[in-house]
Amino acid sequence: MFDKILVANRGEIALRVIRAAREMGIGSVAVHSTADSDAMHVRMADESVCIGPAPGTDSYLSIPAIIAAAEITGADAIHPGYGFLSENSVFVQALQDHDIGFIGPTAEHIRIMGDKISAKDTMKDLGVPCVPGSDGGVESLDDALTVSEGLGYPVIIKATAGGGGRGMKVAKSAAEMPTAFRSARAEGKSAFGNDEVYIEKYLTTPRHIEIQVFGDGKGKAVHLGERDCSLQRRHQKVFEEAPGPSISADERAAIGKVCADAVARINYIGAGTIEFLYEKGEFFFIEMNTRLQVEHPVTEAIFGVDLVREQIRVAEGHDLSFEQDDLVINGHAIEVRINAETFPGFAPRPGKVNAYHAPGGLGVRMDSALYAGYSIPPYYDSLIGKLIVHGRDRESALARLDRALGELIIDGIETSIPLFHALLQEPDVLSGNYNIHWLENWLETKFTEK
Ligand code: MV4
């Protein structure tokens, strides 16, 4: 049982964790950089510790500073949120060495899934369908050409240490391979210090469908359906929904069972997301995220569960508080990410929020650390809020989103709110007819001078 949790994060996700802890009677410790002294997570937590200067590398990413903060406040465990140290196996190992709990998976599972080749090998062995591709890493251009000949072009070359779309190159033919192969390796080297690459068949028009899983660390696991996160720009999701408009109940049950069985077999603990590309009715595994995700609230809305409470409970050693048969979908949920940025330029615009009014009413959830008078610092990412709506079906969720966006006031800075007003005018968005390329194609045709 935890008496006190340290939240190694900031912004809306820090509030999310503090709120769950408070409802469980658990105390909370906020950590913050010198740029975040006035941030809402510091105000909302029971205690706070300044852990360093403004840049993330000197504060929210500083393992020694965060461990020291846990030691001096007597925190039993750390919740990492998302980003920052949430998928850092060195951090998790250090916590274990200091006898501080980690609310998340084991260092070993984080390490396995962080290496994209070992993640794929593991998932393949566990019976999860994967994108056809090279068997492990590809060492030379000759091997790359041989493997790609076998797969058929187009292929995609990916950095083993990659993620977030960096270190990825598409080759449409053998002629494009030398350049694509060399630049994927170089990008892997410079971005992640690792030039190992692997090759997959390139799927041209898939959707991004991710399955939420949850394990108890003792051989039991469940799935909580899928989220469709295909509407992305430069690998940043902007609009996520559950259930996926293209996924049938039978498909959900089948792929969900494969995923739950897989993570049960490895004694996975806590929340995880298994990412797939979905094309022509088939699922192809690409990556697994070993953390709570930004878009977890859409899953919470349709299943009526508290995923952060559940993360804390299993970290304390409890069994899951629900079984697969208890998990029934109710209605439809949509999340839009509100960023401090221009539209359609997508340039970051930190600054002072003069007025803030969150929407409310039935089926509306606004997760944000904003308040009137707050100055958004320029050091961190531009996500300043998430608006999540829930309705009895997709159509009512869309109507509710439009209504809630109309109530939302953020004065003083530019935000992505106009993007969502524009998207809600689009027949393809209204009908759910989109894939991973839809948003960038739409932006290019509608907002680029030609
Ligand atoms: C792919 C792909 C097509 N075929 N793999 C992008 C980030 C990383 N998570 C995996 N990514 C992709 N892998 C194969 N074999 C297309 C993408 C991709 C993508 C995937 C999900 C959401 C948006 C995307 C945008 C561009 C490319």
Side-chain angles (χ1 to χ4, degrees):
M1 260 22 71
F2 301 145
D3 292 323
K4 198 189 272 191
I5 288 172
L6 182 146
V7 184
N9 216 302
R10 62 184 303 283
E12 67 85 19
I13 196 59
L15 304 193
R16 174 70 188 84
V17 177
I18 293 166
R19 285 168 169 151
R22 189 155 293 151
E23 289 176 15
M24 298 171 80
I26 299 172
S28 54
V29 180
V31 295
H32 67 91
S33 69
T34 53
D36 273 345
S37 300
D38 296 327
M40 186 60 111
H41 73 288
V42 174
R43 299 181 176 198
M44 194 177 282
D46 296 322
E47 312 171 54
S48 64
V49 180
C50 182
I51 51 166
T57 43
D58 301 326
S59 50
Y60 300 102
L61 285 167
S62 169
I63 294 175
I66 289 167
I67 290 179
E71 299 278 12
I72 63 173
T73 56
D76 304 302
I78 296 184
H79 194 300
Y82 50 68
F84 293 123
L85 295 171
S86 62
E87 294 180 287
N88 186 315
S89 62
V90 172
F91 177 56
V92 176
Q93 187 58 57
L95 293 182
Q96 204 178 313
D97 297 342
H98 286 258
D99 226 9
I100 300 166
F102 180 68
I103 301 167
T106 61
E108 199 205 348
H109 285 153
I110 293 174
R111 205 178 310 115
I112 291 169
M113 299 308 166
D115 177 304
K116 306 305 165 193
I117 291 180
S118 67
K120 213 174 156 185
D121 276 352
T122 303
M123 286 299 171
K124 201 173 166 190
D125 285 348
L126 290 165
V128 177
C130 295
V131 191
S134 59
D135 187 11
V138 176
E139 305 281 328
S140 67
L141 177 58
D142 268 3
D143 288 352
L145 287 163
T146 308
V147 166
S148 305
E149 210 58 53
L151 292 169
Y153 289 92
V155 299
I156 184 165
I157 305 139
K158 297 182 176 183
T160 307
R166 282 195 300 177
M168 276 181 16
K169 291 284 173 258
V170 176
K172 292 197 288 291
S173 67
E176 291 184 4
M177 183 52 86
T179 308
F181 184 74
R182 282 187 197 105
S183 67
R185 282 186 86 119
E187 230 174 86
K189 185 88 199 164
S190 71
F192 316 105
N194 180 348
D195 68 356
E196 189 178 36
V197 297
Y198 62 107
I199 295 182
E200 289 179 344
K201 177 85 188 166
Y202 180 68
L203 304 181
T204 53
T205 53
R207 301 177 78 116
H208 171 117
I209 305 285
E210 56 184 38
I211 307 290
Q212 177 72 54
V213 292
F214 215 102
D216 71 355
K218 301 178 280 192
K220 275 194 97 173
V222 298
H223 74 85
L224 294 97
E226 78 286 357
R227 297 181 284 260
D228 190 321
C229 309
S230 301
L231 292 176
Q232 312 202 359
R233 177 184 170 272
R234 301 197 179 163
H235 304 293
Q236 296 295 314
K237 297 167 185 165
V238 305
F239 175 112
E240 303 108 338
E241 60 180 315
S246 67
I247 307 299
S248 71
D250 286 350
E251 287 176 297
R252 174 175 312 115
I255 194 68
K257 182 173 173 15
V258 167
C259 292
D261 288 351
V263 297
R265 279 253 295 280
I266 59 172
N267 293 330
Y268 188 80
I269 186 164
T273 298
I274 306 189
E275 289 187 4
F276 292 92
L277 298 176
Y278 175 84
E279 193 174 76
K280 299 179 191 135
E282 275 194 275
F283 288 91
F284 301 96
F285 170 81
I286 45 171
E287 290 174 26
M288 177 167 181
N289 302 316
T290 52
R291 62 166 189 278
L292 184 76
Q293 296 209 217
V294 174
E295 59 272 23
H296 76 277
V298 295
T299 301
E300 295 188 318
I302 64 167
F303 285 98
V305 301
D306 181 337
L307 289 172
V308 177
R309 177 189 176 87
E310 207 61 25
Q311 285 187 295
I312 296 170
R313 281 178 46 86
V314 298
E316 288 176 326
H318 293 290
D319 293 345
L320 296 176
S321 62
F322 36 72
E323 303 202 2
Q324 192 64 58
D325 289 348
D326 301 328
L327 295 168
V328 180
I329 293 178
N330 170 25
H332 197 98
I334 300 171
E335 171 180 285
V336 294
R337 297 190 186 192
I338 314 296
N339 289 331
E341 65 190 19
T342 60
F343 178 75
F346 296 91
R349 280 291 185 276
K352 186 167 176 187
V353 176
N354 296 319
Y356 173 61
H357 180 267
L362 182 64
V364 175
R365 167 178 173 181
M366 183 80 197
D367 277 17
S368 172
L370 288 186
Y371 59 86
Y374 176 61
S375 284
I376 298 161
Y379 303 100
Y380 314 105
D381 81 26
S382 55
L383 182 79
I384 53 168
K386 310 185 307 203
L387 170 58
I388 304 102
V389 295
H390 182 212
R392 68 190 172 280
D393 53 24
R394 191 170 188 274
E395 197 176 86
S396 43
L398 285 164
R400 190 158 280 161
L401 176 59
D402 192 42
R403 186 273 288 173
L405 281 168
E407 290 180 19
L408 173 57
I409 296 171
I410 302 173
D411 252 16
I413 55 160
E414 290 180 76
T415 74
S416 43
I417 295 169
L419 164 66
F420 300 113
H421 282 300
L423 283 177
L424 287 176
Q425 303 297 311
E426 288 299 321
D428 285 343
V429 173
L430 298 178
S431 67
N433 176 35
Y434 55 78
N435 61 38
I436 61 168
H437 303 297
W438 189 94
L439 184 61
E440 289 191 8
N441 289 339
W442 176 75
L443 289 167
E444 196 168 290
T445 50
K446 264 199 103 153
F447 302 99
T448 313
E449 316 291 337
K450 270 187 276 98

